Amino acid sequence: MADMGLEAFRFSISWSRLIPNGRGPVNPKGLLFYKNLIKELRSHGIEPHVTLYHYDLPQSLEDDYGGWINRKIIEDFTAFADVCFREFGEDVKLWTTINEATIFAIASYGEGIKFGHCTPTKFTNCSTGNSCTETYIAGHNMLLAHASASNLYKLKYKSKQRGSVGFSIFAFGLSPYTNSKDDEIATQRAKAFLFGWMLKPLVFGDYPDEMKRTLGSRLPVFSEDESEQVKDSSDFIGIIHYTTVYVTNRPSPSIFPISTNKVFFEDMGAYIISTGNSSSTEFDFTPWGLESVLDYLKQSYNNPPIYILENGRPMEHDSMLQDTPRVEYIQAYIGAVLNAIRNGSDTRAYFVWSLVDLYEIVGGYKLSFGMYHVNFSDPGLKRSPKLSASWYTGFLNGTIDVAFQLISNFSGSSSL
């Protein structure tokens, strides 16, 4: 990282690694591991940007009360966050509470993809769940847990540590499939469900009217106090973006390639046509989609500070180090970010996914996003720089003359 010239590194703290039972005693070995990592980053001038929750719910909390569908998670998550703020906050100034909460709620509490809950049917592997309600209950509790942790930080730590706490969503680029009025209206509904679901409470204190009208009693309700707690509880919005999709008013295959329960998208009343997905090497190349997301957030949500926490391109994992398509992808998307900043977006950072090849939640080890190749057959897990690593190093140190003079004009933090 230091040789590449990285200014920041984003990583997640495993709740189970730090507090194995989800609550109670802290694991001293887990604590030491993260302290050493953070100190090492700092010693090389690399800013740690920490995500507190990246899907790894301690099993005991699932067994005890079903995880995110129970309000008990709010107290337990806040206690976990308190440990992290106390132990690491002197060196960590950027905290994201929950990783891409929108897709996490949709996939894990409505689709049962890889893990989680969904309505049990002969077509699903779920043993428990209710896709019609639990997606929204889980999302509601995520917002409340985030607000609780964020408010704790402001009351107990911010004056001394002077850090920031944010919340992240998965942000598809959304574009009408045709220029018909129906497809334009469907795209607006999709934006309400995929952006407004989490962002409107964080910025304005309540869910979008479109969701309230459609879902009725299936959508949880914020009390007046809860609305005040959630509103303005995020110092920044974390954006995870890989792909742009087209939205139509007519039935079309779901974005999720292994989807079996499409309740959320039926509720949304709009149909998604994917131009590619992160479990495939057939990946879209639509940098204007990211630019449109940043512009939409500027226009619709009071131009919040934006941290782009993930952006990158998957390729088949093999020994080929000339990953030219990845270089072209990263360069084009950084250009899109620059355009958005020039147009007034308060975008402050850009993180590439990922530094090294790793286990992907959908693609496993078959696909990789890494700029460094990892030989998983080698006992030492040998790492070799790909072309993208060399290009990104040159981009960061200014030796590569990037189109649109990206280096001299990009005001955000170009980091991994």
Side-chain angles (χ1 to χ4, degrees):
M1 296 182 204
D3 289 346
M4 289 181 74
L6 298 189
E7 300 167 7
F9 179 68
R10 174 180 177 249
F11 65 95
S12 303
I13 289 178
S14 169
W15 189 345
S16 298
R17 194 175 199 174
L18 196 62
I19 308 174
N21 292 321
R23 59 170 82 93
V26 174
N27 172 20
K29 291 183 179 180
L31 184 65
L32 181 62
F33 171 83
Y34 289 114
K35 281 185 176 289
N36 288 342
L37 170 61
I38 291 166
K39 293 292 185 185
E40 188 74 7
L41 290 168
R42 280 288 189 187
S43 72
H44 288 87
I46 299 170
E47 185 86 13
H49 190 140
V50 173
T51 296
L52 289 173
Y53 185 80
H54 200 139
Y55 312 157
D56 49 350
L57 180 74
Q59 185 64 42
S60 60
L61 303 187
E62 171 66 25
D63 296 341
D64 286 353
Y65 53 72
W68 287 98
I69 60 170
N70 194 303
R71 291 176 68 95
K72 292 179 181 178
I73 194 76
I74 299 168
E75 180 180 351
D76 286 336
F77 178 78
T78 305
F80 163 57
D82 193 12
V83 171
C84 293
F85 297 151
R86 181 184 73 232
E87 297 293 343
F88 312 124
E90 289 299 314
D91 292 308
V92 176
K93 306 306 175 187
L94 294 165
W95 300 93
T96 299
T97 50
I98 298 171
N99 184 71
E100 55 185 21
T102 44
I103 289 301
F104 174 50
I106 293 167
S108 291
Y109 288 90
E111 303 280 349
I113 292 178
K114 292 292 183 180
F115 48 84
H117 302 201
C118 64
T119 300
T121 71
K122 64 180 180 179
F123 302 109
T124 69
N125 292 321
C126 298
S127 60
T128 184
N130 184 332
S131 301
C132 291
T133 58
E134 289 188 355
T135 297
Y136 306 109
I137 293 170
H140 191 74
N141 289 336
M142 290 174 204
L143 287 166
L144 293 174
H146 156 80
S148 177
S150 176
N151 291 329
L152 170 75
Y153 185 84
K154 289 173 182 175
L155 288 171
K156 192 173 178 180
Y157 297 102
K158 191 174 181 70
S159 62
K160 182 179 179 182
Q161 297 180 358
R162 308 185 69 81
S164 298
V165 178
F167 185 88
S168 83
I169 66 168
F170 191 100
F172 294 111
L174 298 169
S175 181
Y177 187 54
T178 71
N179 60 6
S180 71
K181 188 67 175 177
D182 283 346
D183 282 3
E184 290 179 8
I185 293 172
T187 302
Q188 293 306 312
R189 287 200 301 269
K191 288 179 179 178
F193 272 72
L194 293 170
F195 290 92
W197 176 23
M198 300 290 186
L199 295 187
K200 194 161 186 184
L202 291 171
V203 177
F204 300 109
D206 200 5
Y207 291 118
D209 290 339
E210 296 93 330
M211 294 189 75
K212 291 195 281 189
R213 284 196 302 267
T214 301
L215 300 173
S217 62
R218 289 191 289 133
L219 184 66
V221 177
F222 293 109
S223 69
E224 188 172 330
D225 285 345
E226 289 171 344
S227 176
E228 287 301 312
Q229 290 169 12
V230 172
K231 183 180 178 181
D232 297 324
S233 63
S234 201
D235 296 321
F236 61 87
I237 301 300
I239 292 300
I240 293 173
H241 175 91
Y242 291 98
T243 189
T244 291
V245 296
Y246 294 97
V247 184
T248 180
N249 200 48
R250 297 183 177 185
S252 176
S254 166
I255 181 85
F256 294 112
I258 53 176
S259 173
T260 54
N261 190 318
K262 304 179 179 65
V263 170
F264 181 85
F265 291 96
E266 290 171 355
D267 288 341
M268 190 168 72
Y271 300 91
I272 299 298
I273 298 176
S274 175
T275 60
N277 62 72
S278 60
S279 65
S280 168
T281 55
E282 297 178 2
F283 215 51
D284 83 314
F285 194 79
T286 49
W288 54 263
L290 175 55
E291 185 177 349
S292 71
V293 167
L294 299 176
D295 186 64
Y296 176 72
L297 297 182
K298 177 189 72 176
Q299 299 288 349
S300 301
Y301 294 99
N302 297 340
N303 198 17
I306 298 292
Y307 286 72
I308 300 171
L309 299 180
E310 293 181 23
N311 179 243
R313 189 192 193 283
M315 296 180 69
E316 293 283 347
H317 182 269
D318 53 31
S319 60
M320 293 182 65
L321 301 180
Q322 297 298 313
D323 57 343
T324 302
R326 180 174 288 116
V327 172
E328 294 171 343
Y329 179 100
I330 294 171
Q331 178 171 350
Y333 278 74
I334 290 176
V337 173
L338 172 62
N339 288 340
I341 290 172
R342 285 174 166 167
N343 289 327
S345 171
D346 189 10
T347 299
R348 302 185 180 186
Y350 171 86
F351 290 79
V352 175
W353 186 274
S354 55
L355 176 67
V356 298
D357 293 339
L358 43 78
Y359 181 83
E360 296 292 339
I361 198 164
V362 175
Y365 292 113
K366 180 181 179 182
L367 301 175
S368 68
F369 288 77
M371 293 190 287
Y372 278 80
H373 175 266
V374 177
N375 184 350
F376 294 111
S377 299
D378 179 0
L381 297 176
K382 182 181 178 181
R383 300 168 186 183
S384 305
K386 303 177 187 178
L387 178 64
S388 55
S390 301
W391 181 90
Y392 202 60
T393 299
F395 166 72
L396 292 176
N397 65 29
T399 60
I400 289 179
D401 183 18
V402 182
F404 309 115
Q405 297 180 322
L406 293 180
I407 294 172
S408 60
N409 289 288
F410 184 50
S411 62
S413 167
S414 295
S415 311
L416 189 142

